[in-house]
Amino acid sequence: QKEVEQNSGPLSVPEGAIASLNCTYSDRGSQSFFWYRQYSGKSPELIMFIYSNGDKEDGRFTAQLNKASQYVSLLIRDSQPSDSATYLCAVPTSGYSTLTFGKGTMLLVSP
Amino acid sequence: DAGITQSPRYKITETGRQVTLMCHQTWSHSYMFWYRQDLGHGLRLIYYSAAADITDKGEVPDGYVVSRSKTENFPLTLESATRSQTSVYFCASSGTGNQPQHFGDGTRLSIL
């Protein structure tokens, strides 16, 4: 049973649109959630984290957490071609001091 | 500059050889991690360390050895490389185990 699930995509959106990336997790006790962006051939880069239910906004990025439904979303407003990357969701691994990463969703933003 | 650095960036070796990948961080983070990333598998944890002289296995530890004699260094050794260990290897660090991890630039390892 996978602990963190993401749709592999690709998710294709036109420039200027809102991109919505979703992640579901299995551990109801999870308290923190992280979103990473990974460009092709590069390392993962932390872009957002969220600890409590609701929304957290940072520039064009909004993380949304719904603990009751066990999903966390990342919204990217005014998507740009430079946002084209794979987005990884990460959740603390139950019982361990590590993170479990989803396999990532590839986002393609077309000009 | 502070950060986390991996070396080498690229490595080609032959099956059966020993190879060591280096990781060095300047944040004084307690936790350090080694991942491999392969198409279709995502990031998989190999080993991690909570502090100097404390290491634990991750999801895919077989064929790998780690050590951590100093807080800032966490080398990963493939004692007898196999083709299945061809991958991109990432080192990461964090202040605690459940805090955000920060990644190095990775080592692309090819085993012929």
Side-chain angles (χ1 to χ4, degrees):
Chain A
Q1 179 185 359
K2 297 196 181 299
E3 294 187 27
V4 181
E5 295 269 12
Q6 295 182 256
N7 189 320
S8 62
L11 173 65
S12 295
V13 301
E15 184 175 357
I18 295 175
S20 178
L21 304 160
N22 298 314
C23 172
T24 59
Y25 59 95
S26 59
D27 181 13
R28 285 192 171 275
S30 295
Q31 297 294 320
S32 52
F33 306 86
F34 309 101
W35 281 101
Y36 286 80
R37 176 177 62 199
Q38 186 175 23
Y39 291 115
S40 180
K42 301 295 186 181
S43 61
E45 171 194 13
L46 179 72
I47 56 172
M48 288 285 286
F49 57 90
I50 186 167
Y51 296 128
S52 56
N53 258 348
D55 296 0
K56 178 182 178 182
E57 187 174 317
D58 183 1
R60 295 186 297 112
F61 298 97
T62 299
Q64 298 178 319
L65 174 60
N66 184 322
K67 289 189 176 181
S69 301
Q70 295 178 246
Y71 78 80
V72 56
S73 300
L74 179 70
L75 301 180
I76 306 175
R77 291 182 301 281
D78 189 24
S79 294
Q80 301 297 309
S82 59
D83 295 325
S84 297
T86 296
Y87 290 81
L88 307 173
C89 171
V91 176
T93 309
S94 178
Y96 297 90
S97 298
T98 59
L99 298 181
T100 297
F101 287 82
K103 291 184 178 180
T105 298
M106 181 182 294
L107 173 65
L108 299 175
V109 182
S110 54
Chain B
D1 289 338
I4 183 165
T5 55
Q6 294 184 235
S7 62
R9 291 294 314 279
Y10 304 91
K11 177 75 176 179
I12 300 174
T13 190
E14 297 176 339
T15 56
R17 292 194 180 255
Q18 181 180 83
V19 58
T20 296
L21 310 183
M22 305 300 293
C23 181
H24 175 79
Q25 54 103 357
T26 59
W27 287 308
S28 298
H29 281 166
S30 295
Y31 280 79
M32 296 186 74
F33 308 85
W34 274 108
Y35 294 90
R36 60 177 291 174
Q37 189 174 40
D38 306 284
L39 205 60
H41 291 280
L43 282 168
R44 291 184 290 176
L45 183 65
I46 304 170
Y47 270 96
Y48 68 103
S49 168
D53 299 321
I54 300 175
T55 61
D56 280 296
K57 295 179 180 179
E59 181 186 354
V60 289
D62 293 343
Y64 303 94
V65 175
V66 294
S67 63
R68 195 165 176 208
S69 58
K70 293 184 178 181
T71 300
E72 61 267 29
N73 296 324
F74 190 38
L76 176 73
T77 297
L78 290 66
E79 292 192 306
S80 179
T82 64
R83 289 196 180 90
S84 64
Q85 293 176 309
T86 291
S87 187
V88 180
Y89 290 85
F90 289 106
C91 179
S93 71
S94 66
T96 68
N98 294 338
Q99 284 185 342
Q101 295 177 14
H102 301 276
F103 286 78
D105 289 338
T107 294
R108 186 173 296 273
L109 177 64
S110 296
I111 301 166
L112 306 178

